[in-house]
Amino acid sequence: MKWSLNLGRIAGIKILVHWTFALLLGWVAFTEAQRGSDLPTTLLAIGFILAVFFCVVLHELGHALTARRYGINTKMITLLPIGGVASLERMPQDPKKELTIAVAGPAVNVVIAFILWLVLPSLGNSFSEEFFLRITPANFFYLLLFVNVVLVVFNAIPAFPMDGGRVLRALLAFKLGRVRATQIAANLGQFLAIAFVFIGFMYNPFLILIGAFVFFGAYSENILVQHLDYLRGHSVREGMMTNFVTLAPTETVREALNKLLMGSEHEFVVEEAGAVVGTLTRSQLIQAVKEEQMQLPVVEIMTADVKTFNVQDKLSDAYTELQKTRVPLYPVLENGRLAGVINTDNINEFIMIKSALTH
C-alpha cells in the first residue's frame, strides 16, 4: 500500500504499517488527555494498542505461514487502524486448504489467550467492573487476553473479507462449488456490513468504517471469483490482442509520439525481428518530452525487464497477474516470438462477452 512504513520482515514477509495507524494512536492519546491522564498512563494506553496489534501481526502470520505450506506466498502484511491484512498471492481452489488457512489466524489468538489464561493469576474477588475501566499495569495482560478472545469472536462473523466469511465459503464449496459458495457468503457479508453501518450510526461510528470495509471486500471477492470462473479453461491466445502497434528500438521519441497520437495505444511493445526488447508507456514518453529528449531512441527510455506470457498459458493466470501487478500490458509469445499483447481491458471485454453468452 502507498504511504506505508516498512517495519522489516518476519519469516521473510514484509510488515508494513499504514499512515492512518498514526491517527489511531493520536486518538488514544487525545482520549487519555481528555480524561486528565498523566504521561505514564497515556504511554501505557498506547503501549496496549501496540501490544494488540502485535497479536494482529501474529494472527496474519498464522494465515501466511499456513498458506506457505501450500506453495502460496504472502507479499506483505499491512497494519491498518481496523486490523491487519495479509496480501496472499492467491487463495487455493481446494476448500480444504482454504479452510485450513482461514482457521489458522484465529487459532493463533486462541493460543495467545490460552497462554495468558494459564500464566495470569486468578482474579478471584478482585474482579469488578472498575478493574477494567482503564488500562493499568495490573490489568494490562488481562485486557490483552480479553482482546484476543474478541478477535476470535469478531473474525468468526461469516462476512468477507474476515476469516469467518472464508470459512463459510470453504464449507459451502464442498457441496455447492466455489462460485455459488462465494455468492452466498458474499451476499451474507454485505447484509451484515449494512447492519454494521446502521448500528454504527446509532452507537459507534467506528462500526461504519468496518461495515464499509466488509461490504466492498465481499463485493470484490464475489466479482473476482465470478471472473475467474468465466476464464476457466481458456488460454491466453483466446484473450490476447493481435492487432497492435509496435516500436523498433531505433525509433525516436518523436516517432513514438506520432504513433501515440495516430492510434488508441497508450503502451507499446518494443520488438526487433519478432523478439521482445522491452515495453514503453505513455507516461515514459511524456517524461521524455518534458526532458527534451525528442531525438532519443526509445531503447534508452523503455522498460527492458519485461515479463511475458505464452499463448498456451491459462487466461485466468494472466488475469490474476495483471490484477496483482497493475502492469498496463504484457507481451504474449509463441515459439519465442511476439504473437500478441494482453492487458486488463481486453480480458474484461472477454469476460463481458462470456457473461453475455451464458445469460
Side-chain angles (χ1 to χ4, degrees):
M1 288 186 173
K2 291 183 179 180
W3 309 107
S4 294
L5 176 66
N6 187 353
L7 299 181
R9 293 178 180 270
I10 300 178
I13 300 169
K14 188 186 297 183
I15 310 296
L16 303 177
V17 57
H18 196 258
W19 71 268
T20 51
F21 189 79
L23 298 178
L24 174 61
L25 298 181
W27 178 78
V28 171
F30 175 76
T31 302
E32 291 298 325
Q34 291 290 98
R35 290 177 173 179
S37 300
D38 56 15
L39 181 60
T41 303
T42 301
L43 292 177
L44 186 66
I46 292 174
F48 180 76
I49 296 297
L50 296 177
V52 168
F53 275 85
F54 178 70
C55 295
V56 170
V57 170
L58 295 179
H59 173 111
E60 298 301 334
L61 282 171
H63 293 308
L65 297 180
T66 304
R68 184 180 290 179
R69 291 177 52 199
Y70 301 123
I72 301 171
N73 292 322
T74 301
K75 294 192 298 181
M76 68 192 76
I77 293 172
T78 306
L79 293 179
L80 301 163
I82 59 174
V85 178
S87 301
L88 275 64
E89 288 184 342
R90 57 184 175 85
M91 286 300 292
Q93 299 293 311
D94 184 346
K96 291 182 180 178
K97 294 179 180 178
E98 180 174 25
L99 182 61
T100 304
I101 294 171
V103 169
V108 171
N109 297 113
V110 170
V111 171
I112 294 172
F114 182 67
I115 291 173
L116 289 172
W117 178 77
L118 285 178
V119 300
L120 290 173
S122 174
L123 288 174
N125 295 329
S126 300
F127 179 82
S128 65
E129 185 178 339
E130 290 76 16
F131 185 76
F132 293 104
L133 282 179
R134 300 182 70 172
I135 299 168
T136 66
N139 69 10
F140 188 97
F141 289 103
Y142 290 98
L143 285 173
L144 194 61
L145 187 159
F146 175 73
V147 167
N148 275 278
V149 173
V150 170
L151 285 173
V152 174
V153 174
F154 182 73
N155 276 284
I157 297 173
F160 282 115
M162 291 185 292
D163 300 329
R166 299 194 180 280
V167 169
L168 177 62
R169 195 255 299 275
L171 293 174
L172 292 173
F174 283 109
K175 289 291 185 181
L176 304 177
R178 186 174 177 82
V179 177
R180 182 57 183 152
T182 303
Q183 289 174 340
I184 294 173
N187 289 339
L188 179 58
Q190 289 181 301
F191 174 78
L192 291 173
I194 293 171
F196 282 164
V197 171
F198 276 110
I199 295 172
F201 275 116
M202 291 185 289
Y203 298 105
N204 190 339
F206 193 64
L207 288 175
I208 299 174
L209 181 62
I210 294 175
F213 179 73
V214 170
F215 186 91
F216 290 109
Y219 175 80
S220 299
E221 186 78 18
N222 192 22
I223 293 298
L224 176 63
V225 171
Q226 287 186 42
H227 284 183
L228 290 175
D229 187 58
Y230 286 131
L231 299 175
R232 187 174 55 191
H234 295 281
S235 67
V236 170
R237 184 193 298 275
E238 298 174 74
M240 71 181 187
M241 293 179 284
T242 55
N243 184 17
F244 57 95
V245 178
T246 63
L247 295 170
T250 54
E251 288 189 80
T252 64
V253 169
R254 185 181 298 279
E255 291 170 323
L257 285 172
N258 289 335
K259 289 187 176 182
L260 179 71
L261 293 171
M262 288 191 305
S264 59
E265 275 87 1
H266 293 164
E267 296 83 28
F268 301 93
V269 176
V270 183
E271 60 97 16
E272 188 171 26
V276 175
V277 179
T279 58
L280 187 68
T281 65
R282 178 174 59 181
S283 60
Q284 288 173 314
L285 279 173
I286 299 302
Q287 185 61 35
V289 173
K290 290 179 180 179
E291 296 175 4
E292 300 181 353
Q293 298 175 327
M294 300 291 286
Q295 299 305 318
L296 202 67
V298 295
V299 71
E300 298 290 336
I301 64 168
M302 70 180 188
T303 301
D305 185 16
V306 179
K307 177 181 172 60
T308 61
F309 285 103
N310 190 279
V311 292
Q312 297 176 342
D313 288 339
K314 294 178 181 178
L315 190 55
S316 58
D317 290 345
Y319 178 73
T320 302
E321 181 72 15
L322 283 160
Q323 293 291 312
K324 181 175 65 177
T325 63
R326 302 296 179 182
V327 171
L329 172 144
Y330 281 117
V332 181
L333 306 181
E334 184 174 18
N335 298 323
R337 297 176 63 84
L338 182 64
V341 294
I342 195 161
N343 62 17
T344 301
D345 289 341
N346 215 55
I347 296 182
N348 284 336
E349 288 172 351
F350 182 92
I351 291 169
M352 289 171 61
I353 292 170
K354 290 291 295 182
S355 175
L357 289 174
T358 54
H359 287 84

